[in-house]
Amino acid sequence: MAPKLTLISHKLCPYVQRAVIALSEKGIPFERVDIDLANKPDWFRKISPLGKVPVLLVETEDGEAALFESNVICEYIEETQGGAKLHPQDALERAKHRAWMEFGSTILSELWGLETTGDPAIFESKRQAVAAKFARVEEALGPGPFFAGKDFSLVDAVFAPIFRYFDVFDQLTDLSVFADTPKVRAWREALAKRPSVRTAVGPDYPQLLHAFLVRHDAHLLKLAA
Ligand SMILES: N[C@@H](CCC(=O)N[C@@H](CS)C(=O)NCC(=O)O)C(=O)O
């Protein structure tokens, strides 16, 4: 019998969204449980060593396992679940894909830094660092529409939430990180149309994230003014 999958989530988390996208690309049923990260329940602290979402609970006949780290969760989903293949067959290509998935996480860490600095000079240097990373992504991209061409892959699942995040960020302040990256821009547009991406972030995501950023990062409004 297929194991029951429960994804412990937060509505705004881009790491959660990559796992949701992978599951929905494969058409795998799962339960999603959103938690309040500002007030983490004890049961969650027990299963998440870093206190972070996502955590995937895998319930088998032998018991329950809790997997953490979004890329590891995506790999587990790819290895164990049917549906569309989200990794290349070739080991070298697969390794390259994994490297770009890691790169996506590095961009996200850089973005968190962008949010939390109130200093315009630090903001600008971080903005440039993010732009430089997208310039490297531009070099890696082929003709599209997806990272590896016509087939959607886990690299797409990782970058789609990053782009959705930028959709909201762009409304607050002009980051201009895609000015010189036409292939990245086309990729971003293709991903935004993908049904799995639209479902994963939810229709209320832009409003919720906008409100979150404004509430937690009032300096962004100053920068945008
Ligand atoms: N490396 C982790 C990062 C996950 C992460 O940073 N999740 C954030 C939400 S987007 C979180 O749970 N933060 C809560 C905290 O750090 O207290 C992954 O890829 O799963």
Side-chain angles (χ1 to χ4, degrees), residues 1 4 25-27 30 34 55 65 67 71 75 95 106 133 137-138 145 157 176 184 187 197 201 207 210 214 219 221:
M1 209 177 82
K4 179 175 179 266
E25 283 290 333
K26 285 181 170 288
F30 67 101
D34 285 323
V55 172
L67 299 179
N71 282 352
E75 296 283 353
T106 310
K133 289 211 164 54
V137 175
E138 179 81 6
S176 302
V184 176
W187 187 28
V197 173
V201 299
Q207 289 78 8
H210 187 276
V214 169
H219 70 275
L221 290 183

Side-chain angles (χ1 to χ4, degrees), residues 175-222:
L175 279 176
S176 302
V177 292
F178 304 116
D180 301 320
T181 56
K183 282 197 273 184
V184 176
R185 285 205 305 273
W187 187 28
R188 180 185 182 186
E189 279 162 28
L191 290 176
K193 293 189 201 125
R194 190 82 176 172
S196 65
V197 173
R198 301 177 84 90
T199 316
V201 299
D204 54 352
Y205 175 76
Q207 289 78 8
L208 289 174
L209 181 58
H210 187 276
F212 176 84
L213 289 177
V214 169
R215 200 166 58 245
H216 290 267
D217 302 291
H219 70 275
L220 271 178
L221 290 183
K222 277 190 252 142

Side-chain angles (χ1 to χ4, degrees), residues 25-156:
E25 283 290 333
K26 285 181 170 288
I28 306 301
F30 67 101
E31 190 185 341
R32 183 169 172 165
V33 174
D34 285 323
I35 61 158
D36 179 1
L37 285 173
N39 194 7
K40 295 173 190 165
D42 284 343
W43 62 262
F44 173 70
R45 289 179 189 280
K46 284 191 193 123
I47 60 168
S48 178
L50 292 170
K52 291 180 190 292
V53 289
V55 172
L56 184 70
L57 295 177
V58 183
E59 207 176 302
T60 65
E61 279 157 18
D62 303 329
E64 190 177 67
L67 299 179
F68 61 101
E69 283 301 327
S70 57
N71 282 352
V72 174
I73 291 171
C74 286
E75 296 283 353
Y76 171 79
I77 292 166
E78 173 64 2
E79 276 181 30
T80 60
Q81 307 297 311
K85 288 274 164 233
L86 300 177
H87 256 331
Q89 280 291 101
D90 179 74
L92 182 58
E93 288 307 309
R94 200 160 58 244
K96 286 189 205 164
H97 275 227
R98 288 180 174 140
W100 284 106
M101 289 166 72
E102 291 301 321
F103 198 80
S105 296
T106 310
I107 293 180
L108 270 179
S109 326
E110 207 97 59
L111 275 178
W112 299 156
L114 258 176
E115 285 172 1
T116 49
T117 175
D119 179 332
I122 297 176
F123 184 90
E124 178 53 21
S125 79
K126 283 182 176 288
R127 188 195 69 76
Q128 284 180 19
V130 173
K133 289 211 164 54
F134 278 113
R136 302 311 300 261
V137 175
E138 179 81 6
E139 289 163 14
L141 279 174
F146 300 119
F147 179 77
K150 63 176 182 30
D151 295 326
F152 191 96
S153 73
L154 286 180
V155 183
D156 298 284

